Amino acid sequence: MSKKLATFTKGIIRENPVLVLVLGTCPTLAVTTQASNALGMGAAATFVLLCSNICISALRRVIPDKVRIPCYIVLIAGFVSVVQMIVKAYLPTLDAALGIYLPLIVVNCIILGRAEMFANKNGVVDSILDALGMGCGFTLTLFVMASIREIIGSGTWYGMPIPVLADNPISIFTMAPGGFFVFGVLIAIVAKVTKGKKPAKKEFGCAGCPSAAACGKLDCGACGEGADKA
């Protein structure tokens, strides 16, 4: 498999942002009661992830290390504002369904995490592939989870009633316990498929760390170990 293809496909299963890296769980659990909401959230997050990865990769040699995180947040917030205005103008029903979770894309761990761990260290083309792969993995997870919860919990799919199930819904699947149950089952399935293999841990270093001055440049290996335990 070529490096470019591997960069794109890793976010779908091997490093799925939700089911393997366990990021973005808040919107995952909150908006997956209907398949239409899941696709809307996935598309919005993918657009923001793609645009932010492109800008951060292109500006990675210009943005000073000490202020890179605030700069990332400003860029991400700008793209989220664009998405929010478009959704409000053309898809008011989706805007009402997603509610506060649409503007909260600004602090989605997937987007900030890819900016820091990938776009900040790679070229624009690779960053585009990474964003598309992670976005597809996120959207696919939301869609599958929402479809399961909507079919079993509401007896519908994409708003269309399903015979028998429509008259006998298991409503707990539309609630928090059902969301956690489906989430856990999907994580178990992916762990089985990937044989429980996790992405290799990155080495920590003081270079470029905005907190290096505050911590006195202690051994970063110890800091990384402490962070893992936190």
Side-chain angles (χ1 to χ4, degrees):
M1 183 182 294
S2 68
K3 184 178 178 181
K4 301 292 185 185
L5 183 59
T7 300
F8 172 75
T9 57
K10 68 181 180 182
I12 298 174
I13 293 292
R14 185 166 53 89
E15 293 186 24
N16 185 284
V18 179
L19 302 178
V20 177
L21 303 181
V22 197
L23 300 174
T25 55
C26 185
T28 298
L29 293 169
V31 305
T32 53
T33 55
Q34 290 188 328
S36 56
N37 295 347
L39 285 180
M41 173 59 76
T46 300
F47 174 81
V48 174
L49 179 59
L50 177 62
C51 293
S52 61
N53 261 24
I54 292 173
C55 289
I56 290 167
S57 177
L59 298 173
R60 70 186 189 278
R61 303 184 191 280
V62 178
I63 300 175
D65 281 338
K66 290 184 178 180
V67 295
R68 69 183 188 280
I69 300 299
C71 289
Y72 297 167
I73 293 174
V74 170
L75 283 170
I76 294 168
F79 292 121
V80 171
S81 297
V82 171
V83 170
Q84 191 175 9
M85 288 188 287
I86 292 173
V87 172
K88 279 183 179 293
Y90 297 103
L91 299 168
T93 304
L94 178 63
D95 179 66
L98 296 181
I100 190 63
Y101 294 100
L102 187 59
L104 281 179
I105 292 176
V106 173
V107 291
N108 191 308
C109 298
I110 299 171
I111 296 171
L112 190 58
R114 300 321 294 173
E116 175 66 9
M117 298 305 297
F118 196 92
N120 186 43
K121 301 176 178 63
N122 293 273
V124 173
V125 174
D126 286 337
S127 296
I128 291 173
L129 293 174
D130 178 75
L132 291 175
M134 289 290 168
C136 287
F138 180 60
T139 304
L140 181 61
T141 300
L142 292 183
F143 182 70
V144 171
M145 188 170 170
S147 295
I148 294 171
R149 294 181 68 188
E150 183 180 359
I151 290 171
I152 300 176
S154 300
T156 62
W157 186 74
Y158 233 84
M160 298 180 292
I162 298 175
V164 181
L165 292 177
D167 297 324
N168 302 280
I170 305 175
S171 58
I172 195 172
F173 276 86
T174 63
M175 304 177 188
F180 279 106
F181 175 77
V182 176
F183 187 43
V185 169
L186 291 178
I187 288 177
I189 292 172
V190 170
K192 181 68 174 178
V193 170
T194 60
K195 299 180 180 179
K197 294 180 180 179
K198 295 182 179 180
K201 291 185 177 180
K202 307 295 183 183
E203 294 185 359
F204 291 87
C206 286
C209 177
S211 301
C215 73
K217 294 187 178 180
L218 299 173
D219 178 63
C220 286
C223 293
E225 183 180 353
D228 288 340
K229 294 179 179 177

